Structures are given as C-alpha cells and as structure tokens.
C-alpha cells in the first residue's frame, strides 16, 4: 500500500453484520488506509467516491475480522510444527484478523525480550495481528510470579500458564491477587493435573472399552470450583479456557450471578464433537481437555446459547505427523483449529441454536473487549479488519489442504457450511478464496 | 504516683491508646530532642535502674537507640541478643521471662519474631515491658518517633494525608502507624501490590491503592516500608526491577504528592528497591535521618515514664504489705 497518499476502498452491497451494535442490513463500507471511514446502508447513494477502489460484495456477509483468543504458535522453538508465518496464513484463510498466542513457546514468553521478539517477528512475517499472553509463572513452572507489570507494558494482553493449569492453590491465589494489582486478566487451563494424571481421553464407557486411561470430568470441575473461590477471595479477573463439561457451565453461571469477574470460552471441538470421535484410536481427536460425552456437548451448546460461555476460540494446537502417528496414549494432545473456526461455529446457526450475530459476537467484539483490543467492530474509526463470508456455501474439511503446517484436525472429512471469501486487515486484502474450490 | 495521663505499666502497642495518651508521650519526648542535640546530660532519673534489651531477632538500630536512651538517663543497660540457636536449646519464652524476672530488672525491652510474644512475656514478669517489635504486629516506639517527626515538621497530625507504601502485610511499623495516625485524625493510605496488602485491612480504617500514582496524589507524608529480600523471590513479587518500576519511590512518582511532602522510612533502606537514592538523600524532603535522631528522644520519654509508673506501683505494693 502506498504511503503518503490516501488509499480508499469501497465495499458495496454487503450484508453488514456488526454484533456490537446488532447491525444487520445491506450496505456499504468505505475504508481509507487502515481505518473504516464510512459504513451504512446506501452509503454512497449509488456512486462510490471516484478515488476509491470499488469491490462489489454481491451480498456476502461482512463482519469484523475474527479474534481468536487462544492460539498456540510454535515459534520460537518448534517452527516445524507451526511458524508465525504459517499460523498467520491459516488464520487469514479462516477469517481471523487478530490472534492471541499462548506463552508456551521455547523459550517461554516470560520476559519482555521474548515477548518483543514475537511482536517484531509477527510484524515482519505475519499477515495477521498477533498478540501474546505473558506467562503467569516463570518458566510456566507454577511456582514464582512472572513480571506482569513489565510484561503488560511490553504488550502482554493477559497471563496464563498456557496448556498447564496453575495447580498450587497458594500460587494461584497470588497470581490472581498480583494480577489484580494491575487489573490484568488471568486465563486458566482448568484441569487438576493430579486428577487428570496419565489420562488420555474422557473417562467413561468409550475409554473403558478402548482400554485407555481416563480423565474424569471432575478434573475440570474441581479446578474451576477452586479457582472461583480464589477469585472471590482476591477480586481477580479470571477467564476459564475451553470449558468442556455440563457442570462447568453451571459453575461459571453461578460465579457470574454472584457478580464475580469470571468469563470463559469453549472451542468448536467441544460444541461440535463428543468422545465418540476418538472412534478407533484416532489421535487427531486426542484433545486437551478431552472430548466429552454427548450430554456435555449439548450443555456446551446450551451455554453458548444462554451466554454463559462468552467466547469461541479455536484452541489451535498444531502438532506434526510424528507427534500424532503414535499409539493413542503416546500421541500429543491438540487439534488444528484456525481454518475451521468459522465454519464449525456456524453449525450453531444452521442448527438454529444461535443467531448469526450471537455467534459472531463471541468471535469478535466480546473477546476484543475482554482483552482490551481495538478490534471487533464495524464502525467509523475502527481498524479496517474485515471478514467477508458466505454462510451457506458447503465444503468438506480436508486437513491435508490446510495452510497450517499441521494437519491434525479432528474435523477431517466433515462436511461444513460457511466459507471465508475475503479477509481484510488494516484495509488490505490478505486472503481471497478461489471461486471454485469447495474444500479447504 | 502513677502518671495521671498514662497510668500503664507496659507499652505493648499503640492500639487502644487515646489521643491524649499519645500526645502526652510526644510532649514528654519533645524536650529531649534539644537536650540530645546540645549533648547536655539529660538527667539521672534512671540512675540505679536496670534496663534489659531482650532481642530474639537481630537488630542494630532499635537496640542501639534504646541503649543510648537508657544510658543518657543514667540507667544500667544489659543487652541480650538471643539468636535462634539459643531458642533451639529448648527454653520456652515463658521460662526465659521467669528466669530474667527473678533477677529483678526494671524495664525489659523485647523484640521477638512472633506476633503476640511480647504481650505473653509481659504477663509473666513484674517489671515494665516495652515492645521493641513483635512479628508483624506492632512496633510502638517507631510509630511514636514517626509521629514526633511529623508533628515537629507540620505542627499537627490531624487532617494530614499519609501514604504508607510497601510490604504492609509483614510490617509491624505499618500497623502501629495505622493506629497512631488514625487515632490522631490523619487520613491513611496504603499503597502496595495486592500480594503485600493483608486482607480486610480497610476494616482498620485505611484506604488501599494498587496504583502508586493515584495513591500518592496530594499526600503530605510518604512513608516507605522496607521490602525484605526474601519476599522478592517470586512468591509475592516477581522481581526487584518490577517492584521498583511500579512501587519504588522515585522523583517522578513523588511529584504527584504535595510539593512539600515529607519522605520517611523506618530503615534500613534498600536503595533501588523501594526507594531511589535521589529522593532518599534529598535534604529538603527526606526526614529519614531525623527519624533516627528522634527515636532516642522518644525512647527516653517512654523509659522514664514507665520507670516512674513502676516505682509508683512498687511503692503501693510495699505500702500495702
């Protein structure tokens, strides 16, 4: 994009969807450089400004670009699984314009220098906006507090030990308390590690039949219950990542009704799949937390519907072939999620469980507000991070065609409906679907 | 006869003292400041009295201050530094108290790492006991010397805004100062990361702040507390550099307090941790050395008053028998 001269783009004839305001009508968007400068029905009265590039949206849905608040990027340290560049390519193909990465890289994101390395590499390499969480404890070891004040000043948008729970109650108390000093968000992977033990899938009939050791629901339930008591005690801000059980929804609902500053997300894995996906030892369905029972899945959908679950995040966990082509118990946890985030979330709309605006709010303005990002809204002055999609086009998930370096999707082979057609970041088109392809 | 305003045998804490009692102690201490400066012999009022400094925890400045105060009043002083090794010999605190009491000292100045230990000891002896600091509970002579410093600089304490910053959770100085300053009508603010603020401290009547810039706004007095190195290992605070950035007193943060705000510190200071040398050594603002100086005067007044009260009770006892 040329510097110094204003570059305008007019997107005409789109179905404008702004979940923050409830806007849902046909209209136009005008962007100049990196910002939206005009939006609304019949914005141009039939003739867009002559100095603007005009893109006819042909009735596609136009929403704020998606914000994915839980992504593992393996750079630095394990670039063979995913790099900032490959994650960004997967993200824009999935309509994600901002992603927040976990600190479980190598080295861990627990000092300003590493955090700034990621920010700098992201600027140079990535198409998307990349934010990062700082480590809640030094080295993710669950013992000593990391430097939240300094890390927040360096750009950390929240604090978490990533895929490891902070299990020592005294440490968790201090994490919440110290973070509250600066009014920072603490994100927990709610799973009691002792109770999860050596488990590899949900405890239950399937695990028993397969002869696999189980992770009980209680590992999540107990950790959530404990954390919420500690939130009550410390006045901290707490976010439970990827909740997966029916009881978890109840616990979060009750914490919210008591006025605690508690929020949560789930991943499409948990609203769309259950433990039967493990089938015949399919390691792509080995996730953390594990896929639960059908009753739990339904309760997660219900939690999304009632608003108890605030956010949908991809929980993108790239793993290479070598980590997954192993006996089930030895395979790594995690699923690739960026490229299926929108389509699988749209199941909730097609099944008439949530409205389109409800689903989009959990993918845009709600996570933006939670993390304090200037993103997630279609309005004048907002960054021109836009997603154009067709909610109805059907396609089939094929992991091998992913842009992500890792192909480990539990949705492999699944027919889905809803396709990203164009992704715009800071006024620049960074992804455009080829018109005839009908699979990812 | 017993002092009519302060008729107590011991000084175990500030909590519970009335404004009248506190001001009386400060009034008694005030003249000793000049007397000490002029190196005049104060008096021989404690001649023949025995003061025992019984310290179960390391101390240099408080012990020296008490020792000097006692010597300037003509008393005999014995210092007993009881390290943890001696405690390990197995004698209980009460046995130590009873043993010492049998030797008929007049005043015991006691410092102990356990909160409440000095009070327990005071119940087992029939001499006067001064709390020289018990655990995270109270350090009454420190609060009195702080108050005397403020009063001499600002003529009164009522209505002043005082910020107490740092490791309040583990500070006996902070607690004694809360009671004293609130009793005399000051507004007290606590500024610290939440991990260093004890729970429900607001119930004591203080306001809490996590943002030093907000907390220092318009303060008349900025009292810094020492942050002990063992708290810096990550369990309560991540690092010295983070602590200093957000809670260390430097010129920039100090600029939010009143332009003539006084800087205080009970010592010993950790320069570059809770306080920047630039402000600690500022002659115009820092009264840290004056605090140490006035400490001797305060302790002279307290020793003299308690010795007088002790004599009165002993007279009563012998008269009755």
């Amino acid at each position: 994009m040329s510097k110094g001269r204003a570059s305008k783009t007019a997107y005409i004839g789109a179905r404008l969807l702004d979940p923050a305001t409830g806007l849902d009508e046909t209209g136009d968007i005008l962007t100049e450089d990196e910002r939206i400068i005009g939006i609304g029905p019949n914005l141009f009265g039939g003739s867009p400004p002559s100095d603007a590039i005009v893109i006819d949206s042909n009735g596609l849905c136009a929403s704020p670009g998606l914000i994915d608040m839980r992504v593992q990027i393996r750079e630095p340290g394990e670039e063979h699984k995913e790099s900032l560049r490959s994650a960004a390519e997967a993200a824009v193909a999935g309509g994600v314009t901002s992603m927040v990465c976990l600190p479980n890289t190598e080295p861990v994101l627990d000092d300003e220098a590493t955090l700034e390395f990621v920010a700098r590499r992201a600027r140079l390499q990535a198409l998307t906006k990349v934010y990062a969480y700082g480590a809640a404890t030094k080295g993710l070891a669950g013992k000593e507090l990391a430097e939240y004040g300094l890390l927040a000043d360096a750009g950390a948008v929240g604090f978490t030990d990533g895929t490891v729970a902070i299990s020592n109650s005294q440490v968790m108390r201090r994490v919440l308390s110290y973070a509250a000093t600066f009014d920072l968000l603490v994100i927990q992977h709610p799973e009691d590690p002792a109770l999860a033990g050596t488990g590899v899938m949900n405890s239950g009939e399937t695990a028993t039949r397969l002869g696999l050791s189980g992770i009980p629901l209680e590992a999540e339930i107990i950790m959530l219950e404990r954390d919420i008591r500690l939130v009550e005690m410390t006045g901290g801000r707490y976010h439970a990542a990827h909740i997966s059980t029916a009881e978890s929804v109840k616990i979060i609902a009750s914490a919210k009704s008591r006025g605690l500053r508690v929020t949560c997300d789930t991943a499409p894995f948990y609203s769309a799949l259950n433990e039967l996906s493990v089938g015949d030892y399919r390691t792509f369905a080995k996730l953390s937390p594990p896929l639960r029972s059908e009753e739990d899945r339904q309760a997660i959908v219900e939690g999304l519907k009632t608003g108890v679950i605030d956010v949908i995040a991809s929980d993108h966990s790239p793993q290479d072939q070598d980590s997954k082509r192993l006996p089930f118990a030895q395979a790594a946890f995690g699923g690739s999620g960026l490229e299926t985030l929108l389509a699988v979330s749209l199941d909730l709309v097609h099944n008439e469980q949530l409205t389109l605006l409800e689903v989009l709010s959990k993918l845009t303005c709600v996570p933006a507000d939670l993390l304090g990002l200037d993103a997630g809204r279609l309005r004048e002055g907002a960054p021109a991070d836009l997603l154009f999609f067709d909610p109805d086009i059907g396609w089939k998930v094929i992991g091998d065609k992913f842009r992500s370096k890792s192909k480990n999707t539990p949705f492999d082979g699944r027919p889905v409906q809803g396709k990203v057609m164009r992704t715009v970041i800071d006024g620049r088109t960074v992804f455009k679907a080829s018109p005839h392809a009908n699979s990812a | 006869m017993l002092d009519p305003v302060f008729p107590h045998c011991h000084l175990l804490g500030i909590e519970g003292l009335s404004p009248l009692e506190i001001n009386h102690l400060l009034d008694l201490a005030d003249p000793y400041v000049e007397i000490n400066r002029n190196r005049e012999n104060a008096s021989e009022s404690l001649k023949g009295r025995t003061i025992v400094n019984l310290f179960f925890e390391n101390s240099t400045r408080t012990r020296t201050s008490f020792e000097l105060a006692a010597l300037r009043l003509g008393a005999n002083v014995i210092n007993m530094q009881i390290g943890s090794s001696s405690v390990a010999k197995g004698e209980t605190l009460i046995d130590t108290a009873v043993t010492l009491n049998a030797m008929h000292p007049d005043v015991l100045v006691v410092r102990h790492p356990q909160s409440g230990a000095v009070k327990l000891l005071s119940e087992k002896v029939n001499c006067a006991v001064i709390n020289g600091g018990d655990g995270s509970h109270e350090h009454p002579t420190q609060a009195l010397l702080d108050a005397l410093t403020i009063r001499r600089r600002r003529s009164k304490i009522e209505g002043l805004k005082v910020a107490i910053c740092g490791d309040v959770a583990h500070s006996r100085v902070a607690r004694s100062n809360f009671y004293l300053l609130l009793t005399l009508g000051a507004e007290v603010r606590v500024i610290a990361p939440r991990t260093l603020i004890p729970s429900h401290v607001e119930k004591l009547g203080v306001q809490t702040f996590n943002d030093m810039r907000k907390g220092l706004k318009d303060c008349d007095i900025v009292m810094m507390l020492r942050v002990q190195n063992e708290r810096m290992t990550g369990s309560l605070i991540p690092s010295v550099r983070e602590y200093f950035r957000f809670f260390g007193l430097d010129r920039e943060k100090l600029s939010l307090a009143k332009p003539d705000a006084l800087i205080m510190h009970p010592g010993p200071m950790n320069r570059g941790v809770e306080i920047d040398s630039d402000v600690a050594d500022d002659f115009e603002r820092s009264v840290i050395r004056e605090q140490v100086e006035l400490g001797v005067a305060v302790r002279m007044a307290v020793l003299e008053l308690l010795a007088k009260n002790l004599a009165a009770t002993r007279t009563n006892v012998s008269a009755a028998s």
Side-chain angles (χ1 to χ4, degrees):
Chain A
M1 205 166 64
S2 63
K3 293 269 172 192
R5 214 181 78 232
S7 156
K8 288 185 185 169
T9 309
Y11 302 90
I12 58 169
R15 178 181 169 192
L16 305 175
L17 291 159
D18 183 31
T21 58
L23 172 76
D24 181 357
E25 60 186 316
T26 301
D28 316 306
I29 303 171
L30 182 64
T31 68
E32 181 174 345
D33 292 337
E34 295 164 3
R35 300 269 155 188
I36 297 173
I37 59 165
I39 178 159
N42 202 16
L43 184 63
F44 309 117
S47 58
S50 56
D51 58 343
I53 300 161
V54 178
I55 294 171
D56 190 343
S57 303
N58 284 322
L60 286 178
C61 291
S63 76
L66 306 186
I67 297 163
D68 189 345
M69 71 176 286
R70 193 173 176 88
V71 176
Q72 296 184 55
I73 300 177
R74 309 284 186 206
E75 181 173 354
E78 289 183 294
E79 289 86 346
H80 61 289
K81 292 185 174 178
E82 194 83 288
S83 63
L84 280 158
R85 179 78 199 182
S86 67
E89 281 174 2
V92 296
V96 173
T97 55
S98 295
M99 55 182 173
V100 189
C101 63
L102 299 189
N104 61 341
T105 45
E106 175 57 47
V108 166
L109 304 185
D110 65 358
D111 69 34
E112 292 164 283
T114 324
L115 207 65
E116 277 164 10
F117 166 83
V118 170
R120 186 172 57 82
R121 292 280 293 170
R123 273 198 307 278
L124 294 173
Q125 298 278 316
L127 307 158
T128 47
K129 296 178 180 172
V130 178
Y131 300 91
Y133 298 119
T137 66
K138 290 173 188 162
L140 310 180
K143 290 181 182 136
E144 298 173 2
L145 297 172
E147 296 167 314
Y148 301 170
L150 299 176
L151 290 167
D153 279 358
V157 295
F159 291 84
T160 178
D161 272 358
T163 58
V164 196
I166 299 158
S167 71
N168 181 309
S169 305
Q170 181 71 291
V171 173
M172 186 59 179
R173 172 197 179 181
R174 287 169 176 166
V175 163
L176 286 165
S177 187
Y178 192 68
T181 301
F182 305 100
D183 200 32
L184 298 168
L185 184 67
V186 174
I187 297 120
Q188 172 80 300
H189 167 84
E191 183 177 63
D192 181 332
L195 204 48
T198 55
V200 293
M201 72 169 292
N202 189 40
S203 269
E205 188 193 327
T206 313
T208 299
R209 271 195 304 102
L210 293 173
L212 292 172
S213 99
I215 298 172
L217 302 172
E218 287 76 8
E220 182 166 313
I221 294 167
I222 288 171
M223 192 55 93
L224 277 176
E225 296 263 31
R226 181 207 72 170
D227 284 350
I228 282 159
R229 295 291 167 192
L230 293 174
V231 170
E232 199 154 22
M233 176 181 179
T234 57
R237 278 176 70 203
Y238 174 82
H239 179 88
H242 50 48
I243 65 164
S244 68
T245 83
E247 201 60 34
S248 306
V249 178
K250 286 187 199 161
I251 294 166
I252 299 286
S254 135
K256 286 182 171 182
S257 72
R258 272 146 58 208
L260 301 178
R261 299 199 294 170
V262 168
T263 50
C264 70
D265 69 71
T266 195
F269 306 138
Y270 307 104
S271 61
L273 301 175
N274 64 31
E275 61 193 343
L276 296 176
S277 293
V278 172
D280 197 16
Y281 303 100
R282 286 182 62 222
T283 60
F284 282 5
K286 182 176 177 182
L287 305 175
S288 174
L291 293 170
R292 304 289 189 184
S293 69
E294 176 58 16
E295 292 73 42
D296 289 309
R297 187 195 69 78
Q298 285 173 12
I300 292 298
V301 171
E302 194 60 25
L304 287 164
K305 206 165 143 181
T306 57
V308 172
I309 301 175
D310 306 88
V311 173
I312 302 173
S314 75
D315 202 17
H316 182 72
S317 311
Q319 298 293 357
D320 59 357
Q321 296 267 15
D322 297 337
S323 307
K324 284 289 191 182
R325 271 197 194 151
L326 288 167
F328 195 88
Q330 291 170 344
F333 286 101
S336 185
L338 279 166
E339 288 162 82
T340 50
L341 176 62
L342 179 69
V344 179
S345 297
L346 288 176
D347 274 5
L348 298 162
V349 180
H350 299 306
N351 296 339
E352 296 178 351
Q353 288 151 330
L354 274 80
T355 67
L356 186 50
L357 281 173
E358 282 168 348
V359 167
L360 288 172
S361 76
K362 294 176 196 301
L363 290 162
T364 57
C365 55
V366 177
D369 291 350
L370 199 55
L371 302 168
L373 308 180
D374 177 20
R377 282 173 168 75
L378 286 190
R379 66 163 179 226
E380 260 184 58
D385 297 345
L386 308 172
L387 162 62
F388 294 87
F389 65 98
D390 184 325
D392 298 317
I393 293 182
W395 55 284
K396 192 170 167 183
V397 178
I398 298 169
D400 283 342
K401 294 196 175 171
F402 276 1
R403 283 156 184 84
S404 166
K405 283 194 186 178
S406 293
K407 321 296 181 190
N408 52 304
T409 170
F411 296 120
D412 207 20
R414 182 186 177 97
V416 289
Q417 212 182 339
K419 192 165 164 61
V420 175
M421 303 307 288
R422 178 190 292 271
T423 306
V424 175
I425 295 179
D426 284 340
R428 202 159 49 100
T429 293
V430 290
F431 172 81
K432 201 164 168 272
S434 51
H436 303 297
N438 63 351
S439 59
Chain B
M1 76 183 243
L2 285 171
D3 186 282
V5 183
F6 192 95
H8 310 293
C9 305
H10 308 302
L11 178 65
L12 299 176
I14 301 292
E15 188 179 13
L17 295 185
S18 67
L20 205 63
E21 289 171 317
I22 293 168
N23 274 317
H24 183 53
L25 289 170
L26 299 179
D27 292 342
L28 290 174
D30 204 64
Y32 283 121
V33 179
E34 283 310 310
I35 291 172
N36 285 335
R37 279 182 188 166
N38 299 330
R39 303 275 182 118
E40 292 167 20
N41 280 337
S43 75
E44 292 286 298
S45 63
L46 294 188
K47 192 169 170 57
R49 302 283 181 195
T50 308
I51 316 294
V52 179
N53 280 327
L54 179 59
F55 277 58
F56 293 89
E57 200 179 72
N58 287 334
S59 163
T60 311
R61 55 179 64 216
T62 304
R63 204 211 63 218
T64 310
S65 182
F66 270 109
E67 186 174 356
L68 260 176
L71 291 172
R72 285 191 180 154
L73 294 169
N76 303 313
V77 183
I78 294 169
N79 288 315
M80 294 183 66
Q81 184 90 41
I82 301 181
S84 48
S85 60
S86 306
V87 174
K89 281 182 188 166
E91 189 173 58
T92 66
L93 178 66
I94 291 172
D95 286 342
T96 308
V98 171
T99 306
L100 275 174
N101 193 51
M103 302 181 205
H104 304 297
D106 296 292
V107 183
L108 286 178
V109 179
V110 187
R111 169 169 288 190
H112 198 281
Q114 296 295 330
S115 302
V118 180
K119 179 172 185 294
L120 177 65
L121 188 143
S122 75
E123 288 161 1
K124 306 294 169 190
V125 296
N126 50 20
C127 57
V129 174
I130 299 173
N131 183 357
D134 65 321
S136 305
H137 177 225
E138 281 229 44
H139 191 356
T141 55
Q142 177 71 43
L144 288 166
L145 73 88
D146 289 340
L148 185 61
T149 310
I150 298 171
R151 208 179 72 164
R152 284 172 63 93
R153 289 280 187 146
R154 289 285 179 273
S155 76
K156 63 171 186 159
I157 287 171
E158 190 179 353
L160 293 179
K161 286 190 175 65
V162 183
I164 300 180
C165 318
D167 188 1
V168 173
H170 302 94
S171 176
R172 51 196 173 214
V173 175
R175 283 170 181 76
S176 287
N177 266 308
F178 292 168
Y179 299 129
L180 191 150
L181 294 166
L182 292 169
T183 304
L184 294 190
E187 177 188 323
V188 179
R189 300 172 173 189
V190 163
I191 307 173
R194 289 208 187 186
T195 42
L196 297 183
I197 297 181
S199 71
H200 298 89
V201 72
E202 297 85 358
K203 295 268 168 70
L204 303 187
V206 302
Q207 290 173 271
T208 60
F209 292 84
N210 302 131
D211 183 339
M212 198 163 184
R213 288 176 174 82
K214 286 183 188 151
L216 286 182
K217 192 151 184 347
D218 299 328
C219 279
D220 299 281
I221 311 287
V222 183
M223 201 180 275
M224 302 305 298
L225 299 175
R226 175 181 166 76
V227 180
Q228 302 195 357
N229 287 327
E230 59 265 31
R231 317 269 183 239
M232 290 289 184
T233 55
S235 58
L236 294 171
I237 302 167
S239 66
V240 168
R241 61 179 181 175
E242 170 141 327
Y243 189 80
F244 185 73
R245 166 90 74 91
F246 295 96
F247 296 98
L249 187 67
D250 56 16
R251 191 65 67 186
E252 189 232 324
K253 293 186 198 104
L254 181 62
S255 69
L256 291 147
K258 285 201 179 143
D260 61 347
L262 299 178
I263 302 160
M264 304 181 75
H265 195 300
M269 281 185 280
N270 287 316
R271 292 169 183 269
V273 179
E274 72 263 358
I275 192 162
D276 192 336
S277 291
D278 184 33
V279 293
D281 300 334
D282 181 341
F283 285 104
E284 310 261 306
R285 313 282 294 276
S286 168
V287 292
I288 296 170
R289 270 186 281 176
E290 200 170 313
Q291 288 173 272
V292 178
E293 184 195 1
L294 269 49
V296 180
V298 160
R299 284 159 185 140
M300 287 167 80
V302 172
L303 285 169
E304 195 166 39
L305 179 61
L306 292 183
K308 202 173 102 189
N309 282 350
L310 181 73
T313 52
R314 281 182 181 160
T315 314
N316 290 345
V317 171
S318 52
S321 63

